[in-house]
Amino acid sequence: QVQPLESGGGPVQAGGSLRLSCAVSGRTFSSYAMGWFRQAPGKEREFAAAINWSGSYTNYADSVKGRFTISRDNAKNTAYLQMNSLKPEDTAVYYCAAVATLRPTSRPYDYDYWGQGTQVTVSS
């Protein structure tokens, strides 16, 4: 069983930075690709970033490209999302998700395991 647990969210002013962490229980973390998604009130869940098992492949939504960086530390069973130059439109609940695949996709329904989410609120 794989259980992601997000942390690191909170309030931040526009232009600021936050780093989200996703700790994953289980001994097979390195077998899973990881994705970060976000959902704003009244909107559908949308893709933000993804990383393959080794970290050699990453993919980003156009809306976060150049501002967000996804990474992982397999020794710590943890994935990260470094968010810089935050904007009010980045306000959302951020979820991390895991899927046992070589190349992660941007489609939420492809992911098998989800965390509870962490709130990020960016004020102008």
Side-chain angles (χ1 to χ4, degrees):
Q1 186 71 14
V2 175
Q3 182 59 56
L5 179 64
E6 305 93 340
S7 62
V12 63
Q13 289 192 329
S17 299
L18 281 176
R19 188 175 82 154
L20 305 183
S21 297
C22 177
V24 179
S25 63
R27 296 178 293 175
T28 58
F29 175 69
S30 59
S31 300
Y32 290 83
M34 301 297 298
W36 284 97
F37 294 80
R38 63 187 186 181
Q39 189 166 16
K43 295 188 176 181
E44 293 187 353
R45 191 167 299 189
E46 66 173 12
F47 170 73
I51 189 168
N52 71 339
W53 71 275
S54 67
S56 62
Y57 169 83
T58 57
N59 186 28
Y60 297 92
D62 288 342
S63 57
V64 307
K65 199 171 295 183
R67 300 187 298 121
F68 291 11
T69 302
I70 189 171
S71 62
R72 66 189 296 158
D73 185 337
N74 288 344
K76 295 182 178 180
N77 281 19
T78 302
Y80 304 96
L81 186 67
Q82 176 67 44
M83 306 186 296
N84 299 328
S85 302
L86 283 161
K87 305 174 181 180
E89 51 264 43
D90 294 318
T91 295
V93 177
Y94 283 72
Y95 299 89
C96 73
V99 59
T101 185
L102 290 178
R103 178 154 289 198
T105 73
S106 61
R107 299 184 295 264
Y109 51 81
D110 285 340
Y111 288 74
D112 298 314
Y113 303 98
W114 290 83
Q116 300 276 357
T118 184
Q119 176 72 47
V120 172
T121 304
V122 184
S123 59
S124 58

